[in-house]
Amino acid sequence: MNERQGFSIAGIPTIVLCLVLALVSAALWTNMMQSGAGWIGMLGLGLFVVTLVMLKGFFQVAPNEGQVQQLFGKYAGTVREEGLRWTNPFYSRRRVSLRVRNFESSKLKVNDSDGNPIEIAAIVVWQVVDTAEAVFCVDDYENFVTIQSESALRQMAQNYPYDGHDNGKPALRSHGEVINNHLRDEIQARLEKAGVQVIEARISHLAYAQEIAQAMLQRQQANAIVAARERIVEGAVGMVAMALERLRQQGVVELDEERKAAMVSNLLVVLCGDRATQPVVNAGTLYGG
């Protein structure tokens, strides 16, 4: 079932018509009282009843709102024109908001692709684009959006690891754009039948579960230390090579292989050490004599 345009006309001219009918009805009733002609009174009463029935057909449509119409249970169309409108008085109507809405899911506890328990939550921005599907294809479209969004979030989280690995596979913590796009597509696939469009979906909370949080924090710290050490050693080796090359080019001093090895060792200790080094002044010869 898809949305289609429902019947309605402008409300202001119809109000004027109802006033005219009411005045005519009152005039006919007055004429009947004066002349005693019963048929005139019946005509006036009939016009008055028609006016009362017509009044039931007035309704208002706010901006970004749709009025879903039904005639004795059958879908009759949706009115989206703003302002005061008039339609068949026998139509039943239901308001459906077309505004952009958002909600934040509860914190879900799931296992990532590595089997680690994590906590995850998401914010979903959505709006109704097909009022007929939203009203008639699901029982409660707002509750449907909430449940299906959390289901999609749980399914998506199980497809990725929390932290990235060397294989280049996207991870929940490091590939935010990829994860958010995947989550939006997962939710949209589930909400298509409810006439809902997902505008944006993004992770709002991501953390290891409490039972493994401390152990994972230590692992992250260890990985960070190893990565920092690798960077320091790489830079230190480059600086030592540059220092030896400069000494050779400028002829400052001639070093044999043994002394080069000693110099490299000393420079690496200075550059890679955690603590400040204490200089030793050599007051003798080049070779410590």
Side-chain angles (χ1 to χ4, degrees), residues 229 232 235-237 239-240 266-274 277:
R229 286 297 180 185
I232 290 173
V237 170
M239 294 173 66
V240 170
N266 293 335
L267 287 175
L268 288 177
V269 169
V270 172
L271 296 173
C272 299
D274 290 330
T277 56

Side-chain angles (χ1 to χ4, degrees), residues 3-4 18 20 25 38 55 71 91 125 129 132 158 186 212 220-221 223 225 237 240 253 261 287:
E3 178 183 319
R4 63 175 183 270
C18 289
V20 171
S25 174
L55 291 177
L71 180 61
Y91 282 167
V125 182
V129 294
Q158 294 175 350
E186 285 281 346
I212 67 166
Q220 292 176 359
Q221 292 175 343
N223 291 337
I225 292 173
V237 170
V240 170
V253 64
Y287 298 102

Side-chain angles (χ1 to χ4, degrees), residues 43-245:
L43 180 59
L45 181 61
L47 288 177
F48 182 73
V49 171
V50 170
T51 303
L52 290 180
V53 173
M54 289 184 63
L55 291 177
K56 190 176 181 298
F58 288 99
F59 64 99
Q60 292 182 346
V61 181
N64 286 325
E65 181 183 85
Q67 291 273 358
V68 178
Q69 300 174 333
Q70 289 179 264
L71 180 61
F72 306 122
K74 183 179 180 180
Y75 176 57
T78 300
V79 178
R80 294 197 180 196
E81 291 86 355
E82 301 175 7
L84 182 64
R85 309 293 298 176
W86 184 87
T87 188
N88 188 335
F90 297 101
Y91 282 167
S92 62
R93 297 177 295 275
R94 175 177 173 179
R95 295 176 182 269
V96 177
S97 175
L98 305 176
R99 298 179 178 91
V100 176
R101 287 180 271 185
N102 69 85
F103 81 95
E104 184 173 8
S105 70
S106 58
K107 294 180 181 179
L108 306 178
K109 186 175 180 180
V110 299
N111 292 334
D112 65 2
S113 62
D114 292 337
N116 298 318
I118 62 173
E119 293 179 352
I120 190 170
I123 294 177
V124 181
V125 182
W126 61 280
Q127 69 176 148
V128 174
V129 294
D130 192 306
T131 58
E133 290 183 339
V135 173
F136 300 114
C137 291
V138 294
D139 185 48
D140 183 346
Y141 68 89
E142 293 184 353
N143 186 53
F144 187 80
V145 169
T146 300
I147 294 177
Q148 293 299 323
S149 296
E150 292 186 351
S151 174
L153 176 61
R154 186 181 298 273
Q155 179 65 34
M156 184 277 299
Q158 294 175 350
N159 294 330
Y160 297 95
Y162 182 92
D163 278 315
H165 302 297
D166 296 334
N167 55 13
K169 182 180 179 181
L172 295 172
R173 194 166 66 95
S174 58
H175 294 72
E177 184 176 356
V178 174
I179 300 302
N180 291 338
N181 290 338
H182 185 186
L183 177 60
R184 182 193 60 204
D185 295 340
E186 285 281 346
I187 299 175
Q188 183 63 66
R190 287 168 167 78
L191 300 183
E192 198 75 41
K193 64 183 70 175
V196 171
Q197 178 185 8
V198 180
I199 301 174
E200 182 184 4
R202 61 184 181 274
I203 303 299
S204 61
H205 173 78
L206 181 63
Y208 281 112
Q210 293 183 356
E211 58 265 27
I212 67 166
Q214 186 62 34
M216 290 302 175
L217 178 60
Q218 292 176 353
R219 191 182 75 172
Q220 292 176 359
Q221 292 175 343
N223 291 337
I225 292 173
V226 170
R229 286 297 180 185
E230 291 179 353
R231 187 68 179 270
I232 290 173
V233 171
E234 180 181 354
V237 170
M239 294 173 66
V240 170
M242 181 178 64
L244 293 175
E245 181 64 20

